[in-house]
DNA sequence: AGATTTCCCATGCTATCCCATAATCGACCA
DNA sequence: TGGTCGATTATGGGATAGCATGGGAAATCT
């Protein structure tokens, strides 16, 4: 399995630890890393997690910009300043930083939502609401993928 | 045979397992995979199943969209968040996730409906009704296949 | 030293594998 | 052409390994 798929709800314990779903860890291995880069999503109340190589790919796009421009600085801040590194321990758990827990409004349980090359961490209720509205948007607005027929 | 053809009714056991029809497994092999991606259909009460490479083809279209747009996020959610990976075991069975069973309203038996490059899983009664009405709709509305060419 | 974090071990649970049986299909032969 | 045999398929149940989770001990920082 090469991409992050599905929604998995796990428990966030008193120490701020949570098990990364086993299938996600398998995907991580496919990226030939153990390291995850966690960032607060710039719009939504969730944490965005990428395998380190994938994050690197994203960061590489910065190089296209002039390193002395204001745009470059702003983007660099957004990308790096509130990012955290996390490596699952022997049991497959990571600790979520306080700041990110607050940003996502997480409680006792958290939902891991697979999104292909990355995944997000939501409060379970919010994750379900997002999924619902995304599916409905796809249905009503006829959102479809470019370059082809019906999904 | 390179395409999923016909309708096959199999039993869903207490553990949520069901045998993938042997001919379908043969088609899967043609795709050079053992992995299936299962998703709830966004409109109908059924499960949609694709060979992993076929799903990947679909997902690749997302890359055409700006990765920070709202449309991209919504689409990614709709596509990935409720997807499940399934690999037939040595006996050719897969387990259907609880959420998908509920979505499709499945009971003791399930119908596998071949649809070419993908197949769907329905409650048998619904499957029969669908094929009936689909044929009728095609006849009444004079539906034809796009892409022309020889009959 | 106190507090916080990381590592390590223990446990219940669930999904996965494995084997055994039954039913079906197709082939081959008379 | 009808019947029998063989092989593959579908299905059921039990064993096993992996996973999520909780608590405690060692290590680290301040």
């Amino acid at each position: 399995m090469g991409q992050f798929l599905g929604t998995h709800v796990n428990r966030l314990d008193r120490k701020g630890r949570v098990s990364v779903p086993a299938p996600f860890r398998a995907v991580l291995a496919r990226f030939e890393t153990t390291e995850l880069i966690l960032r607060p999503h710039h719009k939504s109340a969730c944490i965005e997690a990428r395998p380190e190589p994938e994050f690197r790919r994203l960061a590489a796009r910065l190089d296209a910009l002039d390193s002395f421009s204001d745009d470059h600085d702003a983007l660099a801040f957004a990308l790096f300043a509130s990012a955290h590194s996390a490596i699952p321990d022997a049991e497959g758990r990571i600790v979520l930083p306080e700041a990110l827990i607050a940003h996502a409004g997480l409680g006792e349980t958290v939902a891991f939502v697979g999104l292909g090359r990355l995944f997000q961490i939501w409060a379970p209720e919010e994750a379900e609401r997002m999924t619902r509205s995304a599916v409905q948007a796809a249905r009503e607005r006829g959102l479809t993928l470019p370059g082809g027929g019906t999904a």
Side-chain angles (χ1 to χ4, degrees), chain A residues 26-120:
Chain A
V27 175
L28 203 56
R30 283 288 170 85
F31 278 91
E32 295 173 6
T33 300
T34 54
E35 188 180 6
L36 284 168
I37 307 296
L38 309 178
R39 295 191 321 120
H41 191 279
H42 60 126
K43 285 180 178 174
S44 314
C46 75
I47 302 170
E48 220 163 37
R50 292 182 168 79
E52 192 275 341
E54 183 62 20
F55 177 76
R56 191 176 289 273
R57 230 173 53 91
L58 193 66
R61 293 217 232 141
L62 264 185
D63 300 340
L65 274 66
D66 169 22
S67 23
F68 293 106
S69 70
D70 289 346
D71 279 4
H72 181 282
D73 275 19
L75 275 178
F77 254 81
L79 250 185
F80 297 108
S82 41
H84 297 254
S85 163
I87 299 177
D89 64 20
E91 286 77 39
R93 286 184 286 197
I94 57 175
V95 294
L96 297 182
E98 202 48 58
L100 294 183
I101 293 180
H103 175 81
L106 302 181
E108 292 272 308
T109 60
V110 303
F112 290 77
V113 181
L115 250 36
R117 290 203 280 258
L118 59 93
F119 62 88
Q120 295 178 346

